[in-house]
């Protein structure tokens, strides 16, 4: 199979435009309107961001991961990857381009499994950038093992009644609707007994108990909700996909979400490398530039190597998703990307911090945030350990045990076989041994 790593020539000017647009128009939002990207914008903020979104739409780069029938451009994952590398530099970037987490993943599953009515009610405004969504799956007592979830949905006439607790539901407070995973049949295997529901956040009984922040954020300033679902009533048509389909849907959603994170992480890690190189060329100590010190050269070389390896893996995986159009067929590579991602960002940001000395360690540079972000990536969307198990299981599928006691590559056995194969040519040498 031939691989072509050249970017579509018609798409390159789009990427060049996005690169400049993000640098000039979007990255300043990160400083002027820090942390506000997931809040419903007030009239003043809309005056700033609506024209930017409009420019992106005119340029035909809005929500490019989805097909035209859903308001996107249908560019697919590979092109999204190249675009996300640019957007990942900025917190506002994905929002201005209509491809922010967790909404991209949520939009994908509604596009995949939603009824026409659900698409009209939730997907259209989500893609239009008018509303935000939340994915509510993890529970306080269980995260990486969804078979332990206990949030329950019980059918009552034309309604479902949901009861239970969810933890770390990101952006619940600013969302218009939640996608909630709940047990609908406790008598069968959890893989068949759980379902997904589309629940408007304003529904009575959706109680956001508190918003949890990440390390370093003030106690009251977080975005990850602890939610008590208390007799939450939704109509029968709030079910997303079929009854018992939650695991299949979750795989679709998390597969997309994970690879999109990885695409943006390339952009962030490259930003750290850019800063490292600029500093190395700007700072002199003990008679020479940092860029001339071998330790620093090592940091740069290692970072470039890690970033390039990671980037190729992500692009390859994105290309595979476009090719197979089925996340399950690319599960091994998506899990591999997820495993590698935290380490790449952590290592490059750590080295960039080091090269900046005290300034790097300060709150005037973004390295601590990047390192925290990398650490968090090793937990969010499932911990690294669980993804390693997935990778190993998928890799092992292509192997079988050896016949007999010795490994198939055991040299004495192979040597005997090779000698037998070439016996007529080897007689002389064998005789001499
Ligand atoms: C920033 C952030 C955003 C998030 N956003 C959302 C969201 O929007 N919606 C949502 O539903 N959830 C969200 N989560 C929750 C996330 O999905 C869970 O934290 C994750 O699945 C792990 O679950 P847990 O925290 O309960 O850890 P546990 O399941 O308790 O695991 C704890 C640790 O145990 C170890 N471990 C677990 N399983 C294994 C194993 N099989 N083998 C070896 N070691 C293992 C790992 O070290 C793991 O980190 C978010 C989390 C973070 C950090």
């Amino acid at each position: 199979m031939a691989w072509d790593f050249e970017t579509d020539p018609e798409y390159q000017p789009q990427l060049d435009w996005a690169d400049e647009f993000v640098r000039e128009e979007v990255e300043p939002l990160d400083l002027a309107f820090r942390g506000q990207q997931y809040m419903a914008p007030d009239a003043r903020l809309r005056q700033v961001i609506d024209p930017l979104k409009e420019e992106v739409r005119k340029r035909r780069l809005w929500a490019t991961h989805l097909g035209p029938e859903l308001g996107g451009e249908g560019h697919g994952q590979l092109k999204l990857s190249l675009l996300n590398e640019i957007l990942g530099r900025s917190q506002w970037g994905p929002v201005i381009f209509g491809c922010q987490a967790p909404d991209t993943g949520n939009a994908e599953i509604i596009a995949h499994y939603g009824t026409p009515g659900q698409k009209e009610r939730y997907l259209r405004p989500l893609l239009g950038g008018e509303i935000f969504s939340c994915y509510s799956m993890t529970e306080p007592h269980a995260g990486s093992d969804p078979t332990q979830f206990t949030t329950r949905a019980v059918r009552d006439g034309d309604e479902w009644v949901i009861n239970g607790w969810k933890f770390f539901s990101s952006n619940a407070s600013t969302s218009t609707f939640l996608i909630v995973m709940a047990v609908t049949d406790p008598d069968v295997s959890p893989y068949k007994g759980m379902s997904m529901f589309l629940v408007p956040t304003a529904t009575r009984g959706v109680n956001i108990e508190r918003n949890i922040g990440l390390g370093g954020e003030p106690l009251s300033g977080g975005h990850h909700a602890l939610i008590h679902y208390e007799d939450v009533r939704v109509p029968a048509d709030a079910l997303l996909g079929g009854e018992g389909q939650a695991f299949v849907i979750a795989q679709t959603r998390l597969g997309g979400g994970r690879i999109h994170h990885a695409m943006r992480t390339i952009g962030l890690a490259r930003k750290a490398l850019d800063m490292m190189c600029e500093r190395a060329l700007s700072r002199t100590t003990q008679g020479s530039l940092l860029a001339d010190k071998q330790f620093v050269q090592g940091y740069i070389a290692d970072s470039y190597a890690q970033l390039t390896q990671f980037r190729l893996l992500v692009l390859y995986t994105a290309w595979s998703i476009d090719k197979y159009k089925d996340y399950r067929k690319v599960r091994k590579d998506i899990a591999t990307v997820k495993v590698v991602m935290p380490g790449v960002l952590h290592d490059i940001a750590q080295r960039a911090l080091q090269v900046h000395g005290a300034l790097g360690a300060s709150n005037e540079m973004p390295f601590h945030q990047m390192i925290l972000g990398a650490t968090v990536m090793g937990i969010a969307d499932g911990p690294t350990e669980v993804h390693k198990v997935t990778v190993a299981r998928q890799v092992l599928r292509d192997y079988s045990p050896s016949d007999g006691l010795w490994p198939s590559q055991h040299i004495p056995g192979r040597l005997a076989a090779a000698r037998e194969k070439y016996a007529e040519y080897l007689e002389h040498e064998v005789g001499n041994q």
Side-chain angles (χ1 to χ4, degrees):
M1 184 188 333
W3 283 356
D4 181 357
F5 286 108
E6 205 169 24
T7 306
D8 198 344
E10 291 93 69
Y11 193 56
Q12 189 57 51
Q14 293 285 72
L15 294 172
D16 295 341
W17 176 83
D19 190 51
E20 195 186 333
F21 181 74
V22 168
R23 199 177 308 281
E24 298 299 323
E25 308 294 339
V26 183
E27 286 188 84
L29 299 176
D30 295 343
L31 301 163
F33 302 101
R34 192 174 169 182
Q36 293 180 41
Q37 65 270 23
Y38 288 117
M39 294 176 186
D42 58 20
R44 187 182 51 100
L45 188 52
R46 285 197 83 133
Q47 282 178 3
V48 180
I49 61 170
D50 286 359
L52 296 179
K53 289 181 178 176
E54 202 39 50
E55 271 197 69
V56 171
R57 280 197 185 90
K58 269 200 224 141
R59 195 76 202 191
R60 306 185 70 95
L61 286 174
W62 178 262
T64 61
H65 56 299
L66 289 171
E69 72 285 3
L70 298 168
E73 295 294 334
H75 284 170
Q77 302 296 325
L78 186 56
K79 284 182 173 168
L80 178 67
S81 193
L82 297 169
L83 182 64
N84 262 338
E85 290 179 9
I86 296 167
L87 306 186
R89 297 202 307 256
S90 158
Q91 284 160 356
W92 270 93
V95 174
I96 299 295
F97 281 71
C99 57
Q100 72 278 8
D103 298 320
T104 45
N106 292 346
E108 269 190 65
I109 54 173
I110 302 175
H112 229 84
Y113 297 98
T115 60
Q118 289 170 338
K119 287 181 188 166
E120 192 53 39
R121 180 169 180 189
Y122 297 110
L123 190 58
R124 291 241 166 254
L126 192 61
L127 294 176
E130 293 156 38
I131 60 169
F132 295 111
S133 62
C134 167
Y135 187 67
S136 194
M137 173 171 158
T138 302
E139 302 194 356
H141 67 281
S144 47
D145 180 5
T147 63
Q148 292 187 52
F149 292 168
T150 54
T151 294
R152 187 84 166 84
V154 177
R155 189 70 188 253
D156 181 21
D158 284 345
E159 292 181 322
W160 287 96
V161 186
I162 304 174
N163 275 288
W165 289 81
K166 294 287 180 183
F167 187 51
F168 252 77
S169 296
S170 303
N171 304 333
S173 298
T174 51
S175 70
T176 297
F177 70 94
L178 312 131
I179 300 181
V180 185
M181 185 164 171
V183 178
T184 41
D185 185 351
D187 298 326
V188 298
S189 139
Y191 296 101
K192 294 196 171 140
M194 292 198 201
S195 309
M196 293 288 193
F197 294 90
L198 291 162
V199 179
T201 314
T203 311
R204 179 137 41 111
V206 175
N207 304 319
I208 297 183
E209 298 288 328
R210 64 175 197 271
N211 278 305
I212 299 138
L214 298 175
E217 289 177 347
L219 267 181
S220 56
H223 302 286
H224 311 284
L226 172 68
I227 308 180
H228 186 192
Y229 293 87
E230 203 174 8
D231 289 328
V232 175
R233 286 187 171 267
V234 286
D237 65 8
L239 187 70
L240 177 64
E243 219 178 304
Q245 272 205 303
F247 269 83
V248 180
I249 297 176
Q251 271 318 319
T252 309
R253 188 207 169 279
L254 294 169
R258 283 168 193 145
I259 193 73
H260 297 159
H261 266 311
M263 296 167 181
R264 289 187 289 267
T265 299
I266 297 170
L268 203 54
R270 185 180 287 150
K271 190 170 178 171
L273 176 58
D274 290 347
M275 287 190 278
M276 189 191 319
C277 293
E278 183 193 77
R279 186 67 169 179
L281 289 168
S282 313
R283 186 87 164 171
T284 299
T285 181
Q286 293 177 346
S288 65
L289 279 174
L290 290 180
D292 294 329
K293 315 276 185 206
Q294 284 191 344
F295 272 117
V296 176
Q297 290 169 345
Y299 293 154
I300 292 168
D302 289 345
S303 300
Y304 177 75
Q306 263 181 302
L307 182 58
T308 306
Q309 287 171 342
F310 179 59
R311 181 169 186 247
L312 288 175
L313 178 62
V314 173
L315 290 175
Y316 167 72
T317 306
W319 173 82
S320 304
I321 297 170
D322 285 343
K323 187 171 148 69
Y324 294 113
K325 301 207 172 6
D326 181 354
Y327 283 118
R328 281 167 305 181
K329 292 204 172 135
V330 193
R331 206 171 158 207
K332 176 174 63 183
D333 291 322
I334 293 178
T336 307
V337 162
K338 175 75 171 72
V339 165
V340 174
M341 173 167 61
V344 173
L345 180 59
H346 173 275
D347 293 354
I348 299 175
Q350 168 68 49
R351 294 181 197 118
L353 182 158
Q354 187 74 16
V355 168
H356 281 76
L359 183 64
S362 77
N363 59 3
E364 295 182 0
M365 296 301 287
F367 302 121
H368 272 300
Q369 260 183 313
M370 289 181 178
I371 292 169
L372 174 66
T375 312
V376 164
M377 274 175 200
I379 299 171
D381 288 345
T384 301
E385 293 89 335
V386 172
H387 291 288
K388 282 191 179 173
V389 171
T390 302
V391 175
R393 283 190 180 146
Q394 297 272 328
V395 169
L396 284 168
R397 278 185 184 180
D398 294 334
Y399 294 87
S400 43
S402 61
D403 294 328
L405 176 62
W406 306 109
S408 62
Q409 294 300 309
H410 190 223
I411 291 171
R414 291 182 61 222
L415 184 60
R419 280 181 174 156
E420 198 182 321
K421 184 176 170 84
Y422 295 110
E424 70 179 282
Y425 305 99
L426 288 174
E427 259 168 29
H428 177 65
E429 281 127 86
V430 172
N432 281 344
Q433 275 180 21

